[in-house]
């Protein structure tokens, strides 16, 4: 060893594989840089830095949130009756075409001003949202002014004449709304929401994934009580997304969102809708999602939205196991899987010859 110039075997091995040290140095520099794509924490100090950043961001979010309890249970009950009337009118098709927007486990009702978003956009992405032309949605109902807006004005939550857009979101158990920022080019700040029917929560900084649906841990979890008013401003409104997770809607919940549109907010050209005049004047047909809400869905959103293929296979396996024994009854059926992966079904009635049936896999 000494003749070759090395006094320690570790030094020789190190000289033979210099690329390993270079790789480690690059990984270390990458993980200690911006921190955006850090996958592994090299030490407890790195982990504490990450947690400190999360806590710092949570404090920024809190600085832009104001919550007050204004409406009594009796007042909530009266407003909730009015919300039920809105739902009933929507089911009868008594509103204008763009007033009602339906989705599984969540319906939206636009009043005063409505806008395109999500899959309705020709070009996806923030900044592409557009207000509908004037008159495309119904006016804000009188009861919203009298029972909700005037009350907030009298308590100093919003100035008089601020609100020209009111949206009612009606959620069923397990419903949700994905992470988003209310379009800055359309709505002024603050964003004001009032909750009814049940308690829930608003989460900030979550990321959604689908099939099956799952949501990352929020930067801030904000409980929202029935009858409470939540006001978003500053960092909470502009610099971080907010959402409602499926597991936070345990009972039916409705929220009235009150906003003011910007004078220069872009509007949608009616000619770009590619809808004929007769179609635009046609009243909205009454329709409602036939999907029944699962009362336990809020507690197990993964099972609620689990992958269909995986679910089908588990049901099939369970069925095969339960029917493995030969049942002498006339109506018994037994399914087998041969070596080619095709399924064949055999009738066990003694007077009928076995019949091979090719089953299509979904």
């Amino acid at each position: 060893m000494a003749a070759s110039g090395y006094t320690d075997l570790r030094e020789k091995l190190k000289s033979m594989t210099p690329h390993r040290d270079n790789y480690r140095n690059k990984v270390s520099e990458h993980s200690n840089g911006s921190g955006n794509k850090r996958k592994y924490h090299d030490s407890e100090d790195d982990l504490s830095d990450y947690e400190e950043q999360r806590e710092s961001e949570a404090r920024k979010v809190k600085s832009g949130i104001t919550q007050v309890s204004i409406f009594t249970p009796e007042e909530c009950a009266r407003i909730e009756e009015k919300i039920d009337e809105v739902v009933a009118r929507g089911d009868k098709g008594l509103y204008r075409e763009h007033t009602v927007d339906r989705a599984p486990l969540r319906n939206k009702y636009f009043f005063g001003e409505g806008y395109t978003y999500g899959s309705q956009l020709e070009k996806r992405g923030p900044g592409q949202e557009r207000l509908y032309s004037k008159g495309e949605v119904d006016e804000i109902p009188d009861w919203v002014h009298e029972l909700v807006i005037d009350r907030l004005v009298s308590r100093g939550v919003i100035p008089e004449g601020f609100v020209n857009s009111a949206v009612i979101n009606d959620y069923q158990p397990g419903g949700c709304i994905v992470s988003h920022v209310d379009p800055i080019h359309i709505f002024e700040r603050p964003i004001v929401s009032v909750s009814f029917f049940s308690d829930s929560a608003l989460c900030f900084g979550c990321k959604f994934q689908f099939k099956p649906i799952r949501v990352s841990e929020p930067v801030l979890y904000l409980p929202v009580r029935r009858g409470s008013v939540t006001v978003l401003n500053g960092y909470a409104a502009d610099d971080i997304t907010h959402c409602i997770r499926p597991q936070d809607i345990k009972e039916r919940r409705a929220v009235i969102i009150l906003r003011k549109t910007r004078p220069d907010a872009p509007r949608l050209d009616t000619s770009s809708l590619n809808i004929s005049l007769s179609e635009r004047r046609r009243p909205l047909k009454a329709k409602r999602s036939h999907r029944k809400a699962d009362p336990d869905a809020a507690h197990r959103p993964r099972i609620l939205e689990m992958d269909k293929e995986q679910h089908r296979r588990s049901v099939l396996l369970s069925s095969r196991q339960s029917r493995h024994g030969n049942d002498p009854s006339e109506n018994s059926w037994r399914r087998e899987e041969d070596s080619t992966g095709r399924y064949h079904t055999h009738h066990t009635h003694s007077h009928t010859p076995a019949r091979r049936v090719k089953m299509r896999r979904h």
Side-chain angles (χ1 to χ4, degrees):
M1 297 290 292
S4 61
Y6 297 102
T7 58
D8 192 322
L9 180 60
R10 289 172 294 182
E11 294 182 7
K12 183 176 182 179
L13 293 174
K14 185 176 181 179
S15 68
M16 295 172 64
T17 56
H19 60 280
R20 292 187 177 180
D21 288 336
N22 294 335
Y23 174 75
R24 288 173 181 170
N25 291 336
K26 290 180 180 179
V27 171
S28 177
E29 292 174 0
H30 180 70
S31 62
N32 293 329
S34 63
N36 292 334
K37 294 185 178 181
R38 180 186 299 171
K39 189 173 183 180
Y40 301 104
H41 298 286
D42 296 333
S43 66
E44 293 182 359
D45 292 338
D46 292 336
L47 184 60
S48 62
D49 290 343
Y50 173 75
E51 292 176 347
E52 185 176 344
Q53 291 177 2
R54 298 269 294 185
E55 291 177 359
S56 175
E57 188 171 20
R59 288 192 294 269
K60 292 180 182 178
V61 177
K62 288 180 180 178
S63 68
I65 299 175
T66 303
Q67 278 191 309
V68 290
S69 295
I70 293 180
F71 299 93
T72 65
E74 293 75 19
E75 291 171 329
C76 287
R78 185 180 178 189
I79 294 171
E80 287 161 3
E81 289 179 0
K82 295 295 184 179
I83 294 175
D84 284 336
E85 291 178 6
V86 169
V87 174
R89 287 179 59 86
D91 289 343
K92 295 177 181 177
L94 300 180
Y95 287 124
R96 296 174 188 174
E97 180 180 359
H98 296 297
T99 296
V100 185
D101 176 51
R102 303 183 186 278
L105 304 181
R106 189 225 68 207
N107 287 340
K108 262 183 184 295
Y109 302 88
F110 291 100
F111 296 105
E113 293 282 7
Y115 67 99
T116 60
Y117 67 99
S119 60
Q120 302 169 352
L121 300 175
E122 293 183 1
K123 296 181 180 180
R124 302 290 184 90
Q128 299 299 323
E129 298 89 351
R130 296 290 184 269
L131 289 173
Y132 285 117
S133 299
K134 285 287 188 180
E136 292 286 339
V137 302
D138 287 77
E139 296 298 324
I140 299 176
D142 291 339
W143 67 265
V144 175
H145 284 288
E146 297 168 1
L147 302 181
V148 183
I149 297 176
D150 291 349
R151 188 70 185 280
L152 298 183
V153 171
S154 64
R155 291 291 297 268
V157 177
I158 52 176
E160 187 172 359
F162 176 78
V163 177
N164 70 343
S165 170
V167 179
I168 299 176
N169 284 343
D170 186 17
Y171 297 92
Q172 299 301 318
C176 68
I177 187 167
V178 298
S179 297
H180 67 283
V181 173
D182 289 38
I184 298 175
H185 64 292
I186 288 184
F187 296 109
E188 294 186 359
R189 272 36 179 171
I191 307 297
V192 182
S193 60
V194 192
S195 297
F196 297 101
F197 287 108
S198 65
D199 298 343
S200 183
L202 193 62
C203 290
F204 295 83
C206 292
K207 292 183 179 179
F208 275 65
Q209 293 183 358
F210 302 92
K211 295 183 180 182
I213 187 170
R214 50 204 184 277
V215 188
S216 65
E217 285 297 317
V219 171
L220 178 68
Y221 174 93
L222 181 70
V224 179
R225 309 298 180 190
R226 178 190 181 211
S228 68
V229 180
T230 302
V231 183
L232 301 184
N233 226 326
Y235 193 93
D238 299 338
D239 298 306
I240 192 170
T241 60
H242 59 272
C243 68
I244 297 176
R245 304 180 302 175
Q247 57 264 46
D248 295 327
I249 306 291
K250 299 178 176 62
E251 304 175 53
R252 182 193 176 190
R253 185 227 180 188
V255 59
I256 300 178
I257 304 173
L258 305 172
R259 295 174 290 201
K260 180 180 182 180
T261 58
R262 295 182 179 276
D264 58 348
R267 289 191 179 274
L268 190 68
D269 184 5
T270 53
S271 61
S272 66
L273 291 176
N274 295 324
I275 301 175
S276 66
L277 183 61
S278 60
E279 288 178 326
R280 292 202 299 114
R281 289 179 176 176
R282 185 177 57 192
L284 179 68
K285 291 183 178 180
K287 60 179 180 178
R288 193 170 182 86
S289 173
H290 295 290
R291 180 178 177 182
K292 294 184 179 179
D294 184 348
D296 297 325
H299 305 287
R300 49 180 178 80
R302 286 176 179 263
I303 298 177
L304 175 69
E305 301 290 346
M306 71 183 302
D307 182 78
K308 293 181 180 180
E309 176 67 14
Q310 182 179 359
H311 178 62
R312 188 193 67 78
R313 291 181 178 178
S314 63
V315 171
L316 177 61
L317 179 61
S318 175
S319 176
R320 289 180 59 199
Q321 291 175 347
S322 63
R323 299 178 182 180
H324 184 68
N326 290 331
D327 187 349
S329 64
E330 183 178 355
N331 295 323
S332 65
W333 293 81
R334 179 165 52 88
R335 180 177 289 172
E336 295 180 352
E337 182 178 5
D338 62 14
S339 59
T340 63
R342 297 176 179 173
Y343 291 94
H344 301 279
T345 307
H346 302 274
H347 196 285
T348 59
H349 186 41
S350 59
H351 301 290
T352 304
R355 186 164 59 97
R356 297 171 67 88
V357 181
K358 182 178 180 181
M359 304 295 289
R360 177 179 297 175
R361 301 188 71 178
H362 296 285

